[in-house]
């Protein structure tokens, strides 16, 4: 382009679109300048993010149309949408590939419900990308490992697989009201296990064949330990480390208290326990606990009736499960027809491990209503109705919350009722001025059982 041509092009602020965008930026900047009103600032940021997602959705739709018309290379100078976005937007290549995948899925109408939810503002762009990735992975895996069951002519198309994954994830979001990107990935794994059960066994066998570990000592007096293998063993390793990882110090300034350092201490402790028990004939109680929810139909040998899922949402191959059961304890959890676990608690504040397992059934991570990616192993048993307000310590009044959201839930409640904190911890006279205590839901009746 010549200098003359550059001068004849109007700056972006002089085009109708440029003017509108500049006005929008000024309005956002004005809304974010509210000293002393941080709540309004956070609300404004949430609104801005929602509209940015809407703009990116429409931009991806237009970009996919230009690419489908064959004009992206001639006009944009790039062969793929990802390459064009990396060059034009200056974003990382991985992010551009994810956005390209969503654009392709939407353009080929493989995710019609996702497109509608994006347009209506019910999904964020990150959630939509996660759905597109899980749908694409399921379709690719099904093509590699088609099922050949009796009566199955394997005519399932790519669009059918994408629609199945999309419907299941959006149904889960509708049921819970919110869904995190991490949970979408966990749901994708469970859906994939039901669509193509053989792929779990194949992936496990491949990873098992390539397993290994490497311990390297260095001249500086340090070492580096690297290990790789099937994800089922990773679940056991995480459970082991979590069992020995000390809680963080209350003082953030304490040296040696990072997550990595505490994990190292857990690793060293686990090795010490292994050394102290290597000559034992047997140990009465398990040293490490790993909860796995197993439908009784799977235990009976029906591999298509459900999936074995760890407390972090990881799907396990049935062959691994049966191997573990030979040296594991089976703990029944009785649930009603709605899948609600009957209470197993008593009048105490801290939940036992059995009660935590019952309360956390059906959750794959922190239950914070606005979304959280923290896994169950990092969660605390939070009383839905506060313990000091009369809430019992039983399964139907407990939910998993990470430490941050547990504190935030309590602080938000304090903001609504300034006297709530002290009323629950002072004399009965103060407590009676607050009116009747909230009544927790009744405990469900026992009917059928599940195993964990």
């Amino acid at each position: 382009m010549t200098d003359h041509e550059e001068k004849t092009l109007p700056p972006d602020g002089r085009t109708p679109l440029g003017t509108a965008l500049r006005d929008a930026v000024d309005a956002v900047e004005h809304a974010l300048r509210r000293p002393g009103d941080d709540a309004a600032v956070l609300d404004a940021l949430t609104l801005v993010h929602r509209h940015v997602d809407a703009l990116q959705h429409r931009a991806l739709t237009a970009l996919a149309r230009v690419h489908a018309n064959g004009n992206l290379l001639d006009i944009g100078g790039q062969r793929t949408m990802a390459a064009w976005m990396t060059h034009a937007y200056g974003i990382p290549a991985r992010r551009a590939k994810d956005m390209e995948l969503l654009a392709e899925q939407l353009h080929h109408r493989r995710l019609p419900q996702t497109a509608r939810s994006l347009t209506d503002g019910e999904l964020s762009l990150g959630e939509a990308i996660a759905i597109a990735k899980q749908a694409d992975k399921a379709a690719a895996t099904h093509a590699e490992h088609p099922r050949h069951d009796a009566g199955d002519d394997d005519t399932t198309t790519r669009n059918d697989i994408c629609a199945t994954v999309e419907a299941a994830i959006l149904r889960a979001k509708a049921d819970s009201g919110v869904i995190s990107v991490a949970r979408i990935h966990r749901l994708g794994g469970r859906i994939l296990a039901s669509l193509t059960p053989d792929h779990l066994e194949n992936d496990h066998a491949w990873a098992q064949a390539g397993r290994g570990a490497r311990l390297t000592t260095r001249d500086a007096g340090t070492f580096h330990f690297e290990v790789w293998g099937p994800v089922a063993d990773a679940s056991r390793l995480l459970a082991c480390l979590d069992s020995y990882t000390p809680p963080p110090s209350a003082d953030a300034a304490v040296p040696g208290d990072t997550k990595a350092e505490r994990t190292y201490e857990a690793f060293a402790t686990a090795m010490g326990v292994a050394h102290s028990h290597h000559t034992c004939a047997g140990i009465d109680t398990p040293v490490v606990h790993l909860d796995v929810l197993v439908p009784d139909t799977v235990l009976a040998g029906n591999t298509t009736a459900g999936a074995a899922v760890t407390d972090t949402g990881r799907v396990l191959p049935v062959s691994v499960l049966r191997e573990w059961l030979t040296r594991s304890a089976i703990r029944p959890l009785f649930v009603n027809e709605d899948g609600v676990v009957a209470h197993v608690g008593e009048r105490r504040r801290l939940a036992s491990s059995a009660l935590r397992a019952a309360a956390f059934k059906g959750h794959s991570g922190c239950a914070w209503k606005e979304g959280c990616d923290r896994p169950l192993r990092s969660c605390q048993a939070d009383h839905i109705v506060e313990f000091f307000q009369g809430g019992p310590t039983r399964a139907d009044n407990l939910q998993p919350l990470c430490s941050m959201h547990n504190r935030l839930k309590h602080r938000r409640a304090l903001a609504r009722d300034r006297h709530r904190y002290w009323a629950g911890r002072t004399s009965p006279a103060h407590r009676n001025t607050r009116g009747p205590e909230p009544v927790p839901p009744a405990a469900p009746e026992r009917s059928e059982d599940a195993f964990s």
Side-chain angles (χ1 to χ4, degrees), residues 145-227:
H145 307 287
R147 296 182 63 175
H148 298 289
D149 300 335
D152 185 5
D153 57 2
D154 197 31
T155 58
T156 304
T157 65
R158 185 181 187 88
N159 286 359
D160 293 334
I161 296 294
C162 291
T164 300
V165 174
E166 176 193 50
I169 294 176
L170 292 180
R171 185 165 55 249
K173 179 177 174 63
D175 292 341
S176 62
V178 66
I179 189 169
S180 67
V181 171
R183 189 182 173 201
I184 290 176
H185 288 295
R186 290 192 292 266
L187 281 172
R190 298 180 67 171
I191 297 167
L192 183 57
S194 64
L195 292 175
T196 315
D198 293 342
H199 98 278
L200 278 177
E201 299 291 346
N202 294 334
D203 289 349
H204 176 77
W206 175 82
Q208 182 74 4
R211 70 190 185 279
R214 182 184 298 116
L215 178 63
T216 306
T217 57
R218 299 173 178 175
D219 294 338
T222 62
F223 75 90
H224 180 81
F225 184 48
E226 183 182 13
V227 60

Side-chain angles (χ1 to χ4, degrees), residues 292-299 307-309 321 325 450-452:
V292 183
L293 187 66
V294 187
D296 53 0
T297 49
V298 172
L299 291 179
V309 185
L321 175 69
L325 287 178
F451 296 91
S452 72

Side-chain angles (χ1 to χ4, degrees), residues 347 384-392 394 396-397 434-443:
R347 185 58 184 169
I384 299 173
V385 177
E386 297 285 2
F387 182 77
F388 65 85
Q389 287 184 313
R394 70 186 190 203
D396 58 344
N397 191 48
R434 300 169 56 249
E437 300 288 349
V439 179

Side-chain angles (χ1 to χ4, degrees), residues 217-290:
T217 57
R218 299 173 178 175
D219 294 338
T222 62
F223 75 90
H224 180 81
F225 184 48
E226 183 182 13
V227 60
W228 57 93
V231 73
D233 289 341
S235 299
R236 289 198 299 171
L237 179 59
L238 284 173
C240 178
L241 293 176
D242 286 341
S243 298
Y244 294 109
T245 301
S249 173
D251 186 359
V254 173
D257 197 48
T258 66
K259 175 62 176 176
E261 289 167 314
R262 289 186 288 113
T263 301
Y264 180 87
E265 293 301 324
F267 181 69
T269 303
M271 287 192 297
V273 172
H275 286 160
S276 63
H277 288 286
H278 74 282
T279 58
C280 297
I283 304 175
D284 294 335
T285 58
V287 178
V288 176
H289 296 271
L290 172 62

